[in-house]
Amino acid sequence: MPKITFIDAAGTSRDVDAKPGTSIMEAAVQNMIPGIDADCGGACACATCHVYVKDEWLAKLKDKDDMEDSMLDFADDVEPNSRLCCQILMSDELDGIVVSTPESQ
């Protein structure tokens, strides 16, 4: 089963397994990862699942669509590697992906 590594703003690392087809946000919520609120439940309507994807993984992801890009306008501290993790579906190709959560506001 593919693995995701979540790193919080304090540097604490947590590894979780995610079934292929599950979003990174769903895996975070199921494993109570701090910093992933997922207020909208994955509908790409709130930006509370904002993460930073480690650069080496960005090329393996689908490009952001217009909806995700506009929702990131509502997130704090957006960087070029910012993504909404509700829009990233796990696959065997993403096994080992590393994402960081922004500092809580």
Side-chain angles (χ1 to χ4, degrees):
M1 192 174 306
K3 185 174 295 304
I4 307 164
T5 298
F6 292 92
I7 302 172
D8 66 22
T12 303
S13 178
R14 294 171 180 86
D15 293 331
V16 302
D17 293 324
K19 291 180 185 171
T22 300
S23 73
I24 290 179
M25 180 222 67
E26 290 170 313
V29 169
Q30 291 165 0
N31 290 279
M32 298 185 298
I33 299 295
I36 307 287
D37 295 333
D39 290 342
C40 75
C44 197
C46 71
T48 61
C49 68
H50 173 219
V51 295
Y52 303 116
V53 177
K54 292 294 179 193
D55 291 338
E56 60 267 23
W57 293 98
L58 287 173
K60 294 184 179 192
L61 302 180
K62 277 187 349 182
D63 289 338
K64 286 182 254 185
D65 63 18
D66 290 341
M67 186 178 209
E68 179 181 1
D69 204 33
S70 62
M71 283 312 317
L72 279 167
D73 290 341
F74 297 98
D76 294 324
D77 302 320
V78 173
E79 299 290 337
N81 62 336
S82 289
R83 295 296 301 260
L84 299 181
C85 65
C86 67
Q87 299 301 296
I88 304 171
L89 298 181
M90 286 303 296
S91 65
D92 290 334
E93 183 181 9
L94 294 180
D95 182 28
I97 191 169
V98 180
V99 298
S100 302
T101 54
E103 196 168 331
S104 296
Q105 301 297 322

